Amino acid sequence: MIERWNRDQVLALAPDASSQKAAQGVSSPGKWSNAGVAAEAVWGECKGSGSTPYRACVDLSEPAYRCSCPSRKFPCKHALGLLLLWSADGVPGADEPADWVAEWLDQRRARAARPAAAPRAAEPGAAPDPRRAEQREQRVAAGLEELERWLADQVRQGIAGSRRHDHWDGLVKRLVDAQAPGVAGTVSRLGAVLADDDWPARLLSEYSLLHLLLTAHRRELLAPAVRGRVGFPVTREEVLAGETVRDVWDVLGRRDEEQERLISRRVWLRGRTTGRAALVLSFAPTGQALDASLVTGTAMDAELAFYPGTAPLRALVAARHAAAPAAPPPGSTPEAVLGEIAAALAGDPWTDSWPVVLDAVVPMRNGAWLLGGADGGLPLHPSAGTPWRLVAASGGHPLTVAAEWTPGGLRPLSTWDEEGRVVVL
């Protein structure tokens, strides 16, 4: 039987705030009939506006969801409401899943056991064209040379003219045309720096990192990390064909960001034995469902395949073996965390986020909010504001806290209460 999740973990699965509110409206026992939980599934029938109740079920091992309602949100409010009812111990246990649930689970197992289709024989002209690859290398090199000249002009002329948010638009388009989408994306995000009070220093810092990237590319230094930042693709198949790292991976938390009608989800993992940090990314157009299979506060015995790099972080889940008992992950002191960050930056100087777990720290105010102890601590990111949930969970007592490190400070992800239950921050 899967260990029961708490309310915070369930609400963290919702695609938006309105889904959270709607789910709480259908989470009362009176809304549900024929509900049950067995092994790795929970199911039930929820009253709707029609005469026939909606059938909802959740495969807790993924998780995966199914509901007969017409909602396009995923998971829908009925699946979330069912999980909320289960988290409150409101779903009775059963020896076996209902027939319609068992049928769905069998179909899922059959699809998972189906061997991958063998790749089709390459058709004439389907193999990678060395000339085309060389042409792209030349176009990228030319685009980066233009960017290097542009940066030199900015330094000579001063950055006062950068106050316009469209200052970089023309350059971004030319970098896209030069087939360097990674660095084009970096340049396109420079406008966000202008919102900061210390924008001149921030902008010069970003220009310095860009110049470092261009120099490293020209000298072929840190090749995998640099090529990835520039925008040379590594396919999913190539990543999965490489070596994997098996461990019990704690799901520390996640963060969603929206940019240009595309939502990205960053899920942070940490290996209990290896201590490896991992980032699982997923993307979806605005309004569509993102991958919700990695639940904050859970753990899984799994194999991860990492994208190439000198400080590998981004990964794919190559194989799942079993769920693992949830528990607070092993933590480190602030000093040890700083050493880990320094090592990551030495391998990839453009690293802008990294998952960390701090042990025996308290939130405290010293001008700005910190996580630490009597000897000082690490500052929180200004966007964290006053961390009321963290303060309430601590009550002045030391906590294990998972956070996302950024150059601007820590973004808290999750913590654990006295009974070892996760609190999503």
Side-chain angles (χ1 to χ4, degrees):
M1 181 78 70
I2 296 289
E3 184 175 349
R4 193 163 61 241
W5 306 336
N6 64 34
R7 182 175 179 274
D8 281 350
Q9 290 174 285
V10 173
L11 292 178
L13 298 171
D16 51 41
S18 62
S19 296
Q20 291 181 341
K21 183 177 180 180
Q24 293 174 75
V26 295
S27 63
S28 61
K31 292 281 187 179
W32 293 88
S33 59
N34 299 322
V37 58
E40 297 181 344
V42 59
W43 65 91
E45 299 179 0
C46 184
K47 293 179 181 178
S49 55
S51 57
T52 304
Y54 296 123
R55 284 182 164 181
C57 57
V58 180
D59 181 347
L60 299 169
S61 63
E62 289 288 339
Y65 315 91
R66 181 183 183 185
C67 185
S68 59
C69 76
S71 173
R72 293 186 178 181
K73 292 186 178 182
F74 188 81
C76 69
K77 67 178 183 180
H78 303 105
L80 290 168
L82 176 62
L83 288 172
L84 285 173
L85 185 63
W86 171 61
S87 72
D89 200 18
V91 178
D95 294 331
E96 297 290 340
D99 291 343
W100 59 276
V101 179
E103 180 181 359
W104 177 63
L105 293 173
D106 289 341
Q107 292 172 352
R108 286 181 49 76
R109 294 190 191 101
R111 285 196 297 270
R114 192 177 303 153
R120 293 180 298 176
E123 300 176 355
D129 186 346
R131 291 180 302 174
R132 182 172 297 178
E134 178 62 25
Q135 289 173 354
R136 176 171 187 179
E137 294 280 358
Q138 293 173 355
R139 296 186 69 174
V140 169
L144 297 187
E145 287 177 5
E146 180 187 355
L147 174 57
E148 195 163 13
R149 291 192 297 270
W150 185 90
L151 285 173
D153 290 341
Q154 301 307 299
V155 174
R156 278 195 300 268
Q157 297 168 8
I159 60 174
S162 304
R163 292 306 304 270
R164 292 172 47 193
H165 284 268
D166 60 353
H167 179 69
W168 301 273
D169 289 355
L171 178 62
V172 170
K173 292 176 182 177
R174 294 193 295 275
L175 288 169
V176 171
D177 291 340
Q179 295 183 282
V183 72
T186 300
V187 174
S188 71
R189 292 188 289 272
L190 291 176
V193 173
L194 302 180
D196 295 337
D197 293 336
D198 61 342
W199 70 268
R202 286 283 313 281
L203 187 59
L204 285 174
S205 176
E206 295 294 334
Y207 283 172
S208 299
L209 286 171
L210 278 171
H211 184 266
L212 180 64
L213 181 67
L214 301 177
T215 302
H217 179 267
R218 187 173 62 250
R219 299 181 181 178
E220 298 184 355
L221 301 173
L222 302 173
V226 170
R227 290 179 69 82
R229 298 284 176 179
V230 169
F232 286 97
V234 179
T235 66
R236 181 183 180 90
E237 290 73 20
E238 290 175 311
V239 175
L240 293 175
E243 294 184 1
T244 59
V245 179
R246 182 171 180 178
D247 202 343
V248 173
W249 298 93
D250 286 297
V251 184
L252 304 180
R254 76 184 195 196
R255 184 161 61 87
D256 295 349
E257 290 183 338
E258 182 175 354
Q259 185 178 14
E260 297 180 357
R261 299 185 297 278
L262 186 70
I263 300 177
S264 64
R265 170 163 292 170
R266 306 162 73 90
V267 181
W268 297 107
L269 309 176
R270 193 92 185 184
R272 287 188 187 175
T273 302
T274 62
R276 289 282 297 267
L279 167 64
V280 177
L281 278 174
S282 59
F283 303 90
T286 302
Q288 294 191 17
L290 283 155
D291 177 23
S293 64
L294 298 173
V295 181
T296 300
T298 61
M300 61 177 179
D301 178 1
E303 297 175 44
L304 265 56
F306 285 82
Y307 282 75
T310 45
L313 180 63
R314 186 182 175 188
L316 298 173
V317 180
R320 297 173 187 247
H321 297 286
S332 303
T333 64
E335 293 78 11
V337 164
L338 288 175
E340 180 183 350
I341 298 302
L345 290 172
D348 184 348
W350 304 277
T351 298
D352 58 4
S353 55
W354 193 269
V356 299
V357 181
L358 290 158
D359 185 35
V361 293
V362 294
M364 53 189 181
R365 189 77 180 261
N366 184 13
W369 280 96
L370 306 172
L371 281 179
D375 297 330
L378 302 180
L380 297 186
H381 194 280
S383 65
T386 302
W388 291 118
R389 286 177 65 83
L390 187 55
V391 171
S394 169
H397 300 290
L399 292 171
T400 296
V401 180
E404 177 187 1
W405 171 87
T406 75
L410 299 178
R411 288 192 173 103
L413 298 170
S414 54
T415 187
W416 286 261
D417 63 18
E418 294 178 352
E419 298 180 5
R421 296 174 301 187
V422 70
V423 178
V424 179
L425 301 172

